[in-house]
Amino acid sequence: MDIDQILDRIYVLPEASKDALKKHIQEVSHPKYFCLMEADKIIPHIYFIRKGIVRAYASTAENDITFWFGNEGETIVSMKSYVEDRPGYESIELLEDCDLYILETESLRKLFNADIHIANWGRKFAEKELVKTEELIISRQFKTSLERYKDLMTHKPDLLKRVQLGHIASYLGITQVSLSRIRAEIK
């Protein structure tokens, strides 16, 4: 997915504003298993996924808990770093070789002050991230693991083919054995 498509999914900008924003965006590539963001660090960038899959997770003494997957066209951001310039709680691992677009948060803030259209784009970006977070929380609180697995089948079916079952089980909050039972039940 190219950067124009990704930016337009957030909010359609006038061409001059989009061109100004794109001047601050670069392409980067990283290999599978690369740690793009580490918990407890300020992350001064926003990423957009051109190609690949990533997972966000938090570590406990016992294991890593996956709480989000991102794929082509999605944004990777530590909202705590983005909004407050404070260390985030999440780590981001690449589950495939990834081609990404990178944008420095400080450059974006300067563009917010210079261009009202980019400021509106930033507002829509934050609103969409808030809705995404709200949906994750509600899903974890009110849906069963079976319902959450069915949601993955409906909304991100390619993810089930591209991501290790251990990460999917962690995302669902269950063991791999329980995930195997769910998968058998659905077939």
Side-chain angles (χ1 to χ4, degrees):
M1 182 169 278
D2 73 28
I3 192 62
D4 289 294
Q5 293 169 307
I6 293 170
L7 295 175
D8 288 348
R9 285 175 66 174
I10 296 167
Y11 179 78
V12 178
L13 288 164
E15 283 306 310
S17 298
K18 187 190 290 187
D19 289 343
L21 180 56
K22 286 172 26 180
K23 286 179 184 171
H24 295 272
I25 297 172
Q26 299 176 341
E27 289 187 47
V28 295
S29 296
H30 295 289
K32 184 176 182 176
Y33 303 124
F34 181 80
C35 184
L36 191 65
M37 295 182 184
E38 290 183 59
D40 302 320
K41 291 190 177 182
I42 296 173
I43 307 301
H45 303 100
I46 298 168
Y47 296 89
F48 307 98
I49 305 171
R50 181 172 171 261
K51 182 174 91 47
I53 289 185
V54 305
R55 75 176 179 118
Y57 67 95
S59 296
T60 67
E62 297 82 39
N63 56 14
D64 294 341
I65 300 168
T66 299
F67 58 86
W68 176 75
F69 294 106
N71 60 346
E72 289 81 6
E74 294 193 65
T75 305
I76 306 167
V77 63
S78 170
M79 285 304 285
K80 200 168 185 181
S81 291
Y82 174 74
V83 173
E84 298 180 339
D85 280 326
R86 292 179 48 205
Y89 54 85
E90 69 276 82
S91 293
I92 304 288
E93 177 188 32
L94 307 186
L95 300 180
E96 296 178 344
D97 292 344
C98 288
D99 296 331
L100 308 165
Y101 299 104
I102 185 172
L103 171 61
E104 287 189 27
T105 306
E106 188 56 35
S107 296
L108 183 58
R109 287 186 183 128
K110 288 177 183 173
L111 288 168
F112 289 163
N113 291 325
D115 187 321
I116 188 67
H117 300 293
I118 296 174
N120 283 332
W121 178 91
R123 178 181 50 81
K124 291 303 288 183
F125 166 73
E127 289 170 355
K128 287 178 183 281
E129 289 299 311
L130 176 63
V131 169
K132 184 168 67 174
T133 301
E134 184 179 65
E135 288 172 348
L136 283 170
I137 291 168
I138 289 170
S139 174
R140 287 291 258 201
Q141 294 287 29
F142 298 106
K143 292 185 177 181
T144 66
S145 50
L146 174 61
E147 291 169 325
R148 290 196 313 273
Y149 184 78
K150 286 181 177 178
D151 283 349
L152 282 178
M153 289 176 63
T154 302
H155 301 292
K156 293 193 174 195
D158 63 315
L159 189 117
L160 297 173
K161 297 174 188 157
R162 296 165 68 184
V163 174
Q164 296 173 15
L165 292 180
H167 294 318
I168 292 171
S170 171
Y171 172 79
L172 297 173
I174 59 176
T175 65
Q176 279 189 253
V177 172
S178 296
L179 177 57
S180 294
R181 280 192 217 113
I182 286 171
R183 290 166 49 104
E185 186 179 313
I186 290 174
K187 287 183 181 182

